[in-house]
Amino acid sequence: MTVSAKGPSKKLIDRARVIRWEIGGDIHERLVEAIYTDAARIADRAVTRPGEERRFDLDRAIDRVVTSRIWGFPIMILLFTLIFWLTISGANVPSQMISRVLIGSVYPFLKEGASAIGFPWWLSGVLIDGMYLATAWVVSVMLPPMAIFFPLFTLLEDFGFLPRLAFNLDNIFKKAGAHGKQALSMMMGFGCNAAGVIATRIIDSPRERMIAIITNNFALCNGRWPTQILIATIFIGTLVPAHLAGLFSAMAVVGIALLGVLLTFVVSWFLSRTWLRGELSTFSLELPPYRPPRIWQTIYTSIIDRTIFVLWRAVVFALPAGAVIWLSANLSLGGQTLAEHLVSFLNPFGLLLGLNGVILMAYIIAIPANEIVIPTVMMLTVLTAGLTGIGEGAGVMFELESTIQTLDILTAGGWTLLTGVNLMLFSLIHNPCSTTVYTIYKETGDLKWTVVSALLPLVIGFVVTFLVAQIWQTLAAL
Amino acid sequence: MSEVDIKQARKDAPCETCPVHNAANLKKLGVDMQEWDFVIALAGNPNTGKSTVFNALTGLRQHTGNWPGKTVTRAEGGFEYGGYNYKIVDLPGTYSLLSTSLDEEVARDFILFGRPDVTVVMADANRLERNLNLVLQILEITDRVVVCLNLMDEAKRHGLEVDHRRLARDLGVPVVPTSARYGEGLDELILAIHEIATGETRTKPHRIKALSPELETAVAEIVRELERVYPYLPNRRWVALRLMDGDERIIAAIENGELGTIVEMEVIAEDPGAGKTMEAAV
């Protein structure tokens, strides 16, 4: 019983090796072949096909069109435009209603209540003008478009749309030196970049995974869709006649999303030729059959999982942000409020980028969550420009009248069409939110690459907005 | 005898109807079996409705995490049936268990080393041939299998007739037709799982037959060798096939003694040296 355990097992392994040599040839292949043969025989016995000839297959017919070289991309772009158009034109009425209740009725009621109980002005300021108003803005601006956009997007997902999109994009990703599966993590990023970063786990090669992680931020996420939709409605939609406003705004948003995809390719290409050089790996992508979407279930889960989730996150971040904004606009230092100090400090830099100090400050406050950028911008503009008489209405941003009202506020704050366009660009191209950065750190466990993922988009964003601003101003001066 | 007594009795005396899972190895794989009677592995090709079935069986009793030391996501959950607590572990969706991708390694290791009490293999009724490749590989590793023949609704729409009884006879394990998206067949699936877990159903799993005679002879020889070294190993033939294929992972498992831990023996638990003795008792 003192025989070493190594003995017999070692002999066993050696014997297996010898036999493998004796037989020769590719045993793996023969084994796989044997399995396939058995599988085919058993399947053949169990399955009865209807008639000999191949029936018309609807799935294959649809796939032939939506994944075709010529029609694939136009169809996908058209579908996205349709979804945004429905979102933008459908969000008007409910957004106005919510705003009327939250800001038109509840807000004055709270103010009166606070003064009746005898709240000091600063307390009601922080609580009601700051925290409550920021939250009310977030809810009335974000809830309606999300409640329309997410169910529509989820229905497409449920139908089997995303794998086709990935299939169409796969080839371009390979040409960019990245993994084809990056198309899938990018799709996930359109929902949430943190989720997109986690989704890169499907990519086995560390090099290609890192490319996918760094570029995921260029997929426009939930938190940024509302900013894009809103700014497009205000600045692009008002450029064209009213009946075309929705369509043009939608096209502008799709344009920004496509620019994000383009940047993904360009940056992937750049990384795979510089710091992340290496072998390409291959994979096979299966197109699942189209399945009739379960409409009610999808709407239910998309509202619970996505709409409420995103809204909740926005509200959680809007509460403290509202307090910070109000405090910074009311605490004075040497005759000027804190916000005025910061905004005027950031302003020259902002103007260089075709933005302004308010937007940059909003982005600093919004590092935890992109969702609150627009409410922050609005509040800071109103507070620092010293505008009065806008309590209600300012939150109603989708209805045409108030779109113009919002435009008036922003123009009074010194905004131009360039500011709008560059805000859309900067919203696409800037550092990921802190949740995503944290996720990147957890997934890679590497501080250096986390910093690169956070700063690379920011630098690109500065460069792009700077160039656009300079070219724009040069052209305008001509 | 109350239910608790029966369960206690089952735990005390190893028997036909006892859980077969390897609690120690399961713990290493990140599954704690306290409070659970049986562990179910859920395997299958991608896009077969695996998550749908998982969600339907567990409801809200689930949570997600990672496989220990791996960046592969794992979901696990549980349900109760017939007085037993079943734990379900959702394995990564794979087309085979023969390659070295991380997903396949995770799925294979769980079935081999964790010895789940039942392995449910999802199969798409519309793509039976391709799905059977995985089923046949799993049948080589474990005989405690239920095949869930899903997407029957789609098969019907495409005009396919799938004879699940014929399939069950050929595979030698229960085959349950389901349309998980519509909740059809899930009760039958749970019953089939229960009957395998409690030993009420015995299976006669299909073995890969299309091997050339020369390969068969070689496999038989290695199986005999394995029998001497690991008298309690339940899936010798599969291990032999992997050795023939030169699977590094299996060779390593033999070298470091991990393979010997598959069969959990009271002796080993009591006497750390007994494991070695068993291996050496040739």
Side-chain angles (χ1 to χ4, degrees), chain B residues 193-215:
Chain B
I193 293 172
H194 174 79
E195 286 178 352
I196 294 276
T198 53
E200 282 167 49
T201 307
R202 312 302 305 273
T203 59
K204 275 208 303 298
H206 171 93
R207 298 287 180 223
I208 295 164
K209 293 191 178 79
L211 290 174
S212 63
E214 163 191 45
L215 265 178

Side-chain angles (χ1 to χ4, degrees), chain A residues 231 325 356 358-360 362-363 372-382 410 415 423:
Chain A
I231 297 296
I325 296 163
N356 58 39
V358 167
I359 296 177
L360 290 187
Y363 268 97
I372 57 172
V373 165
I374 284 300
T376 313
V377 165
M378 296 303 295
M379 288 183 80
L380 283 172
T381 307
V382 172
L410 293 175
W415 287 51
L423 174 55

Side-chain angles (χ1 to χ4, degrees), chain B residues 75-95:
Chain B
E76 56 180 62
F79 67 90
E80 204 193 322
Y81 182 81
Y84 294 102
N85 282 317
Y86 289 84
K87 173 158 214 154
I88 312 181
V89 178
D90 192 14
L91 302 180
T94 59
Y95 295 103

Side-chain angles (χ1 to χ4, degrees), chain A residues 110-151:
Chain A
L110 286 175
K111 280 297 259 188
E112 276 165 34
S115 69
I117 307 169
F119 269 23
W121 70 274
W122 55 267
L123 188 61
S124 83
V126 169
L127 289 181
I128 300 166
D129 292 326
M131 296 170 88
Y132 173 75
L133 215 51
T135 313
W137 250 321
V138 164
V139 172
S140 64
V141 172
M142 290 183 54
L143 182 58
M146 284 196 313
I148 300 173
F149 175 72
F150 288 138

